[in-house]
């Protein structure tokens, strides 16, 4: 339910008024549904593969106390360990861009003692992620691929 829509139900947890639900309450509610409702369309990616919510967070007020308010409307809850449970030690507020780097299918590259997604390395270099993937596909060593500055076409539409 979107902010401002009328709701019915129990208001004692502090996440709703008689007429609205907070964004944090909506995130909490959706998290619970993904993990506990087999009819949820995303259940197979959460509850269906064993992702649980700590008992502490059965109470919305405790969840809000642990997580705090969302820093911005672009932030949603993220598990640091994608295979871990929803619990205070494993969760934080993150943007979609940050979350995209923490998906199970994301390719991570280790170079110069740092681990980042292909997209993050490409952003840092100022090139398209496809250009970085091409470098790697051609057999270029990872540290070379993430340290060579862009040349010519193929990075953010500009030329040098």
């Amino acid at each position: 339910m979107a902010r401002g829509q009328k709701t019915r139900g129990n208001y004692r947890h502090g996440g709703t008024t008689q007429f609205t639900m907070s964004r944090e309450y909506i995130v909490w509610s959706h998290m619970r549904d993904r993990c506990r409702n087999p009819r949820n369309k995303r259940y197979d990616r959460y509850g269906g593969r064993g992702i649980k919510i700590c008992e502490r967070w059965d109470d919305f007020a405790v969840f809000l106390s642990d997580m705090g308010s969302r820093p911005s409307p672009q932030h949603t809850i993220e598990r640091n360990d994608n295979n871990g449970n929803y619990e205070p030690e494993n969760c934080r507020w993150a943007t979609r861009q940050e979350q995209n780097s923490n998906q199970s299918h994301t390719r991570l590259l280790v170079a110069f003692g740092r681990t980042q997604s292909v997209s993050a390395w490409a952003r840092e270099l100022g090139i398209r992620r496809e250009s970085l993937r091409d470098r790697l596909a051609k057999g270029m060593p990872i540290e070379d691929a993430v340290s060579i500055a862009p040349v010519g076409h193929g990075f953010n539409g500009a030329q040098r």
Side-chain angles (χ1 to χ4, degrees):
M1 225 178 239
R3 176 175 241 141
Q5 288 186 317
K6 291 185 180 182
T7 65
R8 295 184 191 152
N10 187 341
Y11 309 113
R12 69 186 168 104
H13 49 66
T16 67
T17 67
Q18 185 175 0
F19 301 103
T20 65
M21 286 191 274
S22 70
R23 294 288 186 187
E24 292 82 3
Y25 182 83
I26 293 168
V27 168
W28 175 78
S29 177
H30 288 179
M31 170 188 70
R32 291 168 51 92
D33 200 51
R34 287 189 303 268
C35 291
R36 297 180 176 169
N37 179 3
R39 293 191 322 225
N40 182 294
K41 67 181 179 181
R42 299 175 74 197
Y43 177 82
D44 63 322
R45 294 170 55 194
Y46 293 89
R49 66 183 190 98
I51 305 299
K52 299 192 181 328
I53 302 168
C54 67
E55 286 183 32
R56 178 176 171 77
W57 283 1
D58 284 342
D59 183 333
F60 172 74
V62 174
F63 167 80
L64 187 58
S65 172
D66 287 346
M67 290 295 295
S69 297
R70 287 179 7 169
S72 78
Q74 288 73 42
H75 285 78
T76 59
I77 192 166
E78 177 186 48
R79 289 169 292 120
N80 298 318
D81 173 2
N82 199 31
N83 294 312
N85 293 326
Y86 284 101
E87 53 196 0
E89 304 79 28
N90 193 40
C91 292
R92 67 185 183 101
W93 295 115
T95 62
R96 173 57 50 204
Q97 186 177 31
E98 291 168 326
Q99 288 191 19
N100 286 344
S101 294
N102 189 26
Q103 294 180 355
S104 57
H105 65 270
T106 299
R107 181 175 179 191
L108 298 176
L109 302 177
V110 179
F112 309 110
R114 294 172 46 215
T115 303
Q116 296 190 114
S117 67
V118 172
S119 295
W121 282 112
R123 274 192 304 277
E124 187 174 305
L125 280 168
I127 63 174
R128 293 174 30 239
R129 102 177 148 246
E130 292 79 11
S131 298
L132 180 52
R133 284 185 185 150
D134 288 347
R135 290 177 179 184
L136 297 168
K138 291 176 182 172
M140 186 180 285
I142 292 174
E143 291 196 348
D144 290 347
V146 300
S147 61
I148 297 172
V151 178
H153 299 281
F155 68 99
N156 298 333
Q159 293 184 6
R160 284 196 179 197

